[in-house]
Amino acid sequence: MTTAVGACVFSADSSLAFRWDMTPSSSGKAKRNPMSKRLAVPTATATTRKIETTSKTMRSFVEKNSSELEADTKQRIKLEKYSSESEEQEGNSRKWLKDYFDEAKDMIKSDGGPPRWFSPLECGSHNRNSRSPLLLFLPGIDGVGLGLIRQHQRLGEIFDVWCLHIPVTDRTSFTGLLKLIERTIRSENCRSSNRPVYLVGESLGACLALAVAARNPDMDLVLILANPATSFRKSLLQTIMPIPAELMSGQMTLTLSYLLSLMTVEGISYCQVRRKVTDFAVLYPTVRLVGLVAEVIFCFCRFHSGFACAWQEDGVDLVTTIKGAGYYRRGRIVDYVSDFIPPTTIEVNKVYEEYRWMVDLTSSVMLSTLPDGKIVRGLSGIPSEGPVLLVGNHMLLGLEALPMVPTFVIERNILVRAIAHPMVFFNAKDGGLPDLVTYDTFRIMGSVPVSAINFYKLVSSKAHVLLYPGGVREAFHRKGEEYKLFWPESSEFVRVAAAFGAKIVPFGVVGEDDLAQIVLDYNDQMKIPYLRSRIEEQTEKVVSLRTDTGGEVANQAMHVPFYIPKVPGRLYYYFGKPIETKGRKQELRDKKEAQELYLQVKSEVEKCVAYLKEKRESDPYRNILSRLIHQAAHGLTSQIPTFEL
């Protein structure tokens, strides 16, 4: 017999599985509503065992106000238009740690059955022919399989989620569990060979995932591992493992599950944590361990009590972690356009808060141009319907993009997809460059690696695209080169824009010279032997761009200018009048016509920069002191005035 606890349940040896709807009927009794059949794991035996589902109805979904989450959201920027209906309900339906213990009480009752997969109801119903990849959750030593309970709803939106349940009295060996998992992934591979399988493992489940990946190097697997128990022999669990399971009551098993969450498992024998994000550390290497070659995310949660259950902690969102790592894909390789999942309101708020210091410090002024040519404060002049190309200049280190992208979402409900350098997405050879974790927010907000095909896909999908023709050369400019454009001589984007009738919005940004002063630029660093060798080494490690282009724009040396901060001034953005390309497709196929439009866009960007440099001289609030005085008199949230338009 197999017990369904609000889930689709099927034995590991069964070939068919059914999903049961356990919602109450009008008579008050739970009704069974078998939904679509789902292909499960094929077995070596010819006999198909039927699964008899007997159960108490899962404890009714408790209607929660989720006051904690709602209060946190209300304190942040409200993005009502950006919220989807499902997201508005997330706070009320997402489960909590208490739900884990409540549901585990039913799950741990022995039924004498073998290990089995179940699909939580809150993960939603998936058609097995859909493009959602399969995600298998492998639990820790408790074996319940509910370790992702707080993640079920969000995971179910982008994955087909199966969780492994190992009954408390089951004596299947590690090798037996290994073979069970292998049969599952091979079945999925036969059904859809171009789609990856995600293995999410916790504690000993993470060891299972590593072993499966090492034994199946030909399988397309993505591993997400929490607190891998690779130093298990050093833990206190060794003292209690000899206790026979038959002597342990259900309550004792539940208590053990809780105690396990407080245990400290020391060390990781095959890797080191390269970066920590508060209490949640994430590592993105390609791991090679006894023949293992796989995409892997390591997640470690360290708290005062030791290692806690990684997926149960507040602030831990597995979907956000996967998106930030750039590891969500539906095929063999990532398609940065079709595989992209738009950020949620909470994710946008977190990104905005991350760079809120810069917004508050610089009191950015954003201007745009209406169709009639009138300049207004705010972003109302930006076309709401795509495709739209925002083409502008880079300031030092590209700092202007950090507050700009979330501001577009907040003010206009427009998600801007930035074309970014490949180092934001790919590990450099032998390290030496910033950890990929540094760029998590870029990937969450929809940045894509620069390439002709990615640019084409974005424009064809009617996206708002952020484009910097000056690239790295402009962002890492030299002394005295503030606001100087380093664009290629020939057009790179005009004909693609015209092919889809995109509007081109030229824009300029100024203010870096009021924030910092470069004291050691590329030319200075190349005169110092150690720094010169460092620059050459780092440049060699990154993907080379514009190798077929001459001039300064082709000088893509990877270095960081040394600078000293100034008393903060103010950032100014000016988005010019949109340039229409609709109806000019045939005309702009001519290289000469396309080049003329390209030079027009470049000229407009230079005019935007010149306009801001001139107008800011008359801004009485350009200095931070005058802004602080204004806020003291009118409140911290009041909009600070600027020059007359």
Side-chain angles (χ1 to χ4, degrees):
M1 303 289 283
T2 304
T3 304
V5 184
C8 164
V9 183
F10 47 100
S11 164
D13 294 324
S14 64
S15 60
L16 291 178
F18 297 85
R19 189 178 191 89
W20 300 102
D21 183 358
M22 303 302 296
T23 54
S25 65
S26 58
S27 63
K29 297 181 180 180
K31 61 179 181 179
R32 286 185 178 179
N33 179 20
M35 301 178 75
S36 58
K37 294 183 179 180
R38 300 172 59 179
L39 183 65
V41 186
T43 66
T45 61
T47 305
T48 301
R49 293 192 346 199
K50 295 183 179 179
I51 300 175
E52 298 179 7
T53 306
T54 67
S55 65
K56 301 175 184 176
T57 303
M58 182 186 70
R59 185 179 58 83
S60 302
F61 280 106
V62 179
E63 295 184 1
K64 301 179 183 290
N65 292 325
S66 299
S67 56
E68 179 183 347
L69 180 61
E70 291 178 0
D72 177 70
T73 303
K74 289 178 180 178
Q75 289 175 359
R76 300 176 184 273
I77 304 299
K78 293 183 179 179
L79 304 175
E80 297 177 357
K81 292 182 179 179
Y82 201 68
S83 300
S84 63
E85 182 178 347
S86 60
E87 186 180 342
E88 291 172 355
Q89 299 171 353
E90 179 181 341
N92 289 331
S93 58
R94 191 170 185 177
K95 295 190 174 182
W96 303 89
L97 188 59
K98 182 179 181 297
D99 297 283
Y100 169 82
F101 289 108
D102 289 343
E103 296 187 18
K105 290 178 182 178
D106 287 332
M107 295 286 283
I108 62 177
K109 293 178 181 178
S110 176
D111 60 8
R116 70 210 67 174
W117 300 104
F118 69 94
S119 182
L121 287 178
E122 59 267 27
C123 288
S125 177
H126 280 267
N127 185 332
R128 296 300 293 134
N129 292 321
S130 70
R131 295 186 64 228
S132 298
L134 178 65
L135 183 147
L136 302 178
F137 174 63
L138 312 179
I141 196 171
D142 64 291
V144 176
L146 292 174
L148 292 179
I149 193 167
R150 295 192 64 181
Q151 313 289 331
H152 284 166
Q153 181 180 351
R154 290 213 63 203
L155 288 172
E157 294 172 358
I158 62 174
F159 290 107
D160 188 14
V161 181
W162 293 10
C163 303
L164 180 62
H165 172 64
I166 307 171
V168 64
T169 58
D170 182 74
R171 288 296 174 270
T172 303
S173 65
F174 185 91
T175 302
L177 294 174
L178 202 60
K179 291 180 179 179
L180 183 157
I181 300 165
E182 287 178 333
R183 288 198 299 270
T184 305
I185 63 173
R186 287 171 184 164
S187 173
E188 178 69 8
N189 184 258
C190 290
R191 193 185 65 82
S192 182
S193 59
N194 292 324
R195 193 176 304 161
V197 174
Y198 287 71
L199 300 181
V200 179
E202 175 190 345
S203 186
L204 291 180
C207 295
L208 278 168
L210 286 168
V212 169
R215 285 162 51 102
N216 298 272
D218 57 323
M219 295 292 182
D220 187 5
L221 302 175
V222 180
L223 275 56
I224 304 166
L225 311 179
N227 306 337
T230 53
S231 295
F232 177 75
R233 66 180 181 277
K234 300 179 183 179
S235 74
L236 298 177
L237 289 177
Q238 290 291 344
T239 61
I240 64 173
M241 285 309 296
I243 300 177
E246 55 267 22
L247 299 181
M248 298 172 62
S249 66
Q251 184 60 43
M252 177 60 181
T253 305
L254 192 61
T255 303
L256 175 60
S257 177
Y258 173 73
L259 292 176
L260 290 177
S261 70
L262 303 180
M263 288 289 184
T264 298
V265 182
E266 299 178 359
I268 303 298
S269 61
Y270 50 84
C271 69
Q272 295 180 342
V273 180
R274 291 166 56 193
R275 179 175 174 82
K276 291 183 181 178
V277 183
T278 61
D279 287 324
F280 193 54
V282 184
L283 177 65
Y284 316 126
T286 295
V287 174
R288 298 173 187 272
L289 174 66
V290 195
L292 169 64
V293 178
E295 292 178 306
V296 185
I297 300 177
F298 290 98
C299 304
F300 305 88
C301 288
R302 289 185 183 270
F303 297 89
H304 299 301
S305 58
F307 273 93
C309 185
W311 320 120
Q312 304 286 358
E313 295 301 324
D314 290 335
V316 175
D317 191 316
L318 186 52
V319 171
T320 300
T321 300
I322 295 171
K323 289 163 58 177
Y327 277 6
Y328 184 73
R329 54 188 174 91
R330 298 180 177 94
R332 283 285 180 183
I333 60 174
V334 177
D335 186 318
Y336 291 95
V337 178
S338 64
D339 286 339
F340 174 66
I341 304 168
T344 65
T345 299
I346 294 175
E347 288 170 341
V348 173
N349 280 325
K350 286 182 178 179
V351 171
Y352 184 79
E353 290 298 319
E354 184 175 345
Y355 301 112
R356 181 67 176 267
W357 64 271
M358 189 173 181
V359 176
D360 294 339
L361 197 64
T362 62
S363 301
S364 303
V365 176
M366 293 194 179
L367 310 175
S368 60
T369 310
L370 300 178
D372 61 2
K374 182 181 179 181
I375 301 174
V376 296
R377 187 167 185 180
L379 301 174
S380 57
I382 304 297
S384 57
E385 298 294 328
V388 174
L389 302 187
L390 303 170
V391 185
N393 67 299
H394 254 321
M395 289 201 310
L396 181 64
L397 305 179
L399 292 176
E400 78 289 334
L402 301 182
M404 185 174 78
V405 173
T407 300
F408 263 76
V409 179
I410 292 168
E411 289 195 12
R412 289 295 315 280
N413 192 30
I414 293 174
L415 181 63
V416 175
R417 308 290 301 277
I419 303 290
H421 194 279
M423 70 178 178
V424 173
F425 301 89
F426 310 114
N427 281 312
K429 309 166 189 174
D430 305 321
L433 291 175
D435 196 311
L436 287 181
V437 176
T438 307
Y439 306 110
D440 275 10
T441 54
F442 289 69
R443 295 184 287 269
I444 289 173
M445 294 302 293
S447 295
V448 303
V450 58
S451 74
I453 186 63
N454 284 338
F455 177 64
Y456 182 90
K457 287 181 178 179
L458 285 175
V459 178
S460 64
S461 65
K462 298 184 178 181
H464 284 70
V465 184
L466 178 58
L467 187 62
Y468 292 102
V472 169
R473 177 61 181 87
E474 214 166 80
F476 295 162
H477 61 71
R478 325 300 189 229
K479 295 176 184 175
E481 293 180 347
E482 298 87 356
Y483 316 125
K484 183 177 180 180
L485 302 187
F486 292 92
W487 289 21
E489 294 182 358
S490 59
S491 164
E492 292 185 326
F493 57 84
V494 169
R495 280 186 284 184
V496 175
F500 297 96
K503 298 180 180 67
I504 301 175
V505 179
F507 73 92
V509 187
V510 304
E512 76 163 74
D513 50 347
D514 281 346
L515 298 177
Q517 178 180 349
I518 298 177
V519 294
L520 207 63
D521 64 7
Y522 170 78
N523 296 327
D524 297 325
Q525 294 181 40
M526 290 298 287
K527 296 175 183 177
I528 303 173
Y530 171 75
L531 294 179
R532 181 177 65 248
S533 61
R534 183 74 172 167
I535 292 172
E536 292 172 350
E537 178 185 347
Q538 291 183 342
T539 303
E540 176 65 24
K541 290 178 179 178
V542 301
V543 177
S544 298
L545 300 175
R546 289 172 169 162
T547 54
D548 58 345
T549 303
E552 272 297 305
V553 72
N555 186 354
Q556 302 270 327
M558 299 306 300
H559 75 291
V560 177
F562 289 75
Y563 59 88
I564 55 175
K566 294 182 177 181
V567 176
R570 203 170 190 182
L571 291 184
Y572 301 86
Y573 300 74
Y574 173 33
F575 297 89
K577 185 177 180 180
I579 300 174
E580 288 281 359
T581 65
K582 189 175 182 179
R584 302 182 63 184
K585 181 177 179 179
Q586 291 298 122
E587 172 191 351
L588 293 174
R589 282 183 176 177
D590 181 79
K591 289 185 178 181
K592 183 178 179 180
E593 295 291 336
Q595 184 66 11
E596 287 183 4
L597 180 56
Y598 176 74
L599 294 178
Q600 178 190 350
V601 174
K602 182 179 180 181
S603 175
E604 290 297 323
V605 172
E606 292 173 330
K607 289 178 181 178
C608 290
V609 171
Y611 173 85
L612 292 174
K613 289 175 67 177
E614 177 185 354
K615 297 292 288 185
R616 70 174 176 173
E617 297 296 332
S618 61
D619 185 359
Y621 298 98
R622 180 177 174 183
N623 185 277
I624 190 172
L625 181 59
S626 58
R627 298 199 296 272
L628 291 175
I629 294 174
H630 180 275
Q631 289 179 323
H634 299 86
L636 294 176
T637 59
S638 61
Q639 186 181 60
I640 300 175
T642 185
F643 51 77
E644 292 186 7
L645 301 178

